Amino acid sequence: MKRLSKNRIFGGWHERYSHQSTSTQTEMVFAIYLPPQIGEGQKVPVLYFLSGLTCTDENFSTKAGAQQYAAKYGLALVIPDTSPRGKEVADDEAYDLGQGAGFYLNASQAPWAEHYRMYDYIVDELPKLIEAHFPVTEERSIFGHSMGGHGALQIALKNPNRYASVSAFAPIVNPIDVPWGKKAFTAYLGEDKTAWAAYDSVQLLGHAQNVCPVLIDQGLSDSFYPEQLQPEIFEEKAEKKGIPICLNLREGYDHSYYFIASFVEQHIVFHAKYLGLL
């Protein structure tokens, strides 16, 4: 790994690193916030944040104000990039496909399959790297925003023993039925919708046997809410299965980081509880 930057914040350290990924076969960048508790010689659990379309690790790091709450409750934050990047990596002129729009899946179609393996990167490679090089435990939770909310939910549903809890801001819960998901899944996974279902949270919830605690926040003034997001569909499926989730519909809030910053402490408290910190 190569350290790109290190900044003192709220008594801890926010650091950025690059490394050569075996999953994506590219150089990947991630950020990690290490809270002040590690200076006391203890290891801390990890909360992973998955960002949305067009973002890098820096959007959440600089806009959400999350480090102060990670410091308060004693957990590390890990913020990966949203896709592989580089001149050799396939891309598209649109903002919702290609670099910046990895959708946290393993692509199977050309030209995407060579590098777009963000599912393997998030689930396997990155946690092993973090746990090998930083003073953290193997306890972890995951959350995300929009495309990253989709990533967090489907990853947690498929790996219930890996994560203590999952939460999301304005997630794409049923990508197989909305424009963002249809476009991305057709490109990355092909026309076979059985392959799509493996990355669709509503479909995964339908046959899930073990689900970790779930929290979702959705702004009612979010312009993407009616067509692209629709978290009530996820809530309805959970209720039919008798799976408790918490869905908060927030009057007046939109899709931006102003929304995330308003409720990020509540999400961190939620995860701190299930990570055994409260």
Side-chain angles (χ1 to χ4, degrees):
M1 293 190 302
K2 177 183 177 182
R3 189 165 68 195
L4 304 176
S5 63
K6 181 177 181 179
N7 298 97
R8 189 77 162 165
I9 178 172
F10 296 111
W13 294 97
H14 186 89
E15 305 178 6
R16 297 184 76 227
Y17 290 86
S18 64
H19 71 104
Q20 187 65 30
S21 168
T22 56
S23 301
T24 67
Q25 299 297 311
T26 65
E27 185 176 61
M28 294 294 294
V29 173
F30 69 88
I32 182 168
Y33 176 70
L34 298 169
Q37 288 81 354
I38 66 165
E40 302 164 7
Q42 69 183 78
K43 292 185 176 182
V44 297
V46 182
L47 177 56
Y48 289 82
F49 181 83
L50 306 184
S51 301
L53 289 166
T54 76
C55 291
T56 70
D57 65 285
E58 293 186 287
N59 298 78
F60 181 78
S61 300
T62 60
K63 295 180 179 180
Q67 294 94 333
Q68 60 188 308
Y69 307 118
K72 180 178 180 180
Y73 299 104
L75 53 81
L77 292 170
V78 172
I79 310 109
D81 201 350
T82 49
S83 75
R85 298 181 191 270
K87 293 180 180 180
E88 76 283 8
V89 177
D91 199 7
D92 190 90
E93 292 182 356
Y95 77 96
D96 53 359
L97 188 67
Q99 295 186 36
F103 270 83
Y104 304 102
L105 50 73
N106 289 337
S108 60
Q109 304 297 303
W112 313 102
E114 183 177 1
H115 298 296
Y116 282 76
R117 303 194 65 81
M118 289 299 295
Y119 179 88
D120 284 351
Y121 179 73
I122 298 297
V123 174
D124 294 317
E125 183 178 0
L126 186 58
K128 289 177 182 176
L129 188 71
I130 297 299
E131 290 161 17
H133 291 279
F134 299 97
V136 301
T137 69
E138 294 182 358
E139 295 295 314
R140 60 182 83 97
S141 290
I142 190 167
F143 69 150
H145 171 231
S146 194
M147 178 186 71
H150 142 74
L153 287 171
Q154 57 97 0
I155 285 171
L157 287 169
K158 286 195 283 192
N159 300 276
N161 297 322
R162 282 180 172 264
Y163 302 97
S165 51
V166 60
S167 72
F169 297 94
I172 309 168
V173 298
N174 59 328
I176 66 173
D177 289 324
V178 301
W180 273 339
K182 289 178 181 178
K183 178 178 179 178
F185 283 12
T186 300
Y188 296 142
L189 302 171
E191 299 289 346
D192 182 3
K193 291 192 175 182
T194 59
W196 298 14
Y199 297 101
D200 183 285
S201 295
V202 171
Q203 297 297 315
L204 291 166
L205 189 61
H207 53 77
Q209 299 300 315
N210 181 21
V211 179
C212 66
V214 181
L215 168 66
I216 297 174
D217 269 281
Q218 174 65 58
L220 292 179
S221 293
D222 186 333
S223 61
F224 300 116
Y225 168 48
E227 183 178 28
Q228 303 278 18
L229 305 175
Q230 307 168 0
E232 293 93 340
I233 296 174
F234 185 89
E235 180 186 41
E236 181 181 352
K237 179 62 72 73
E239 288 178 349
K240 286 181 178 178
K241 291 208 64 176
I243 297 170
I245 74 162
C246 179
L247 170 62
N248 298 312
L249 300 176
R250 304 293 190 178
E251 188 70 40
Y253 287 90
D254 58 21
H255 200 71
S256 72
Y257 271 84
Y258 295 109
F259 166 54
I260 295 173
S262 299
F263 300 104
V264 71
E265 182 178 15
Q266 294 183 21
H267 282 244
I268 289 177
V269 168
F270 170 79
H271 293 296
K273 174 184 176 182
Y274 291 105
L275 289 167
L277 298 171
L278 297 175

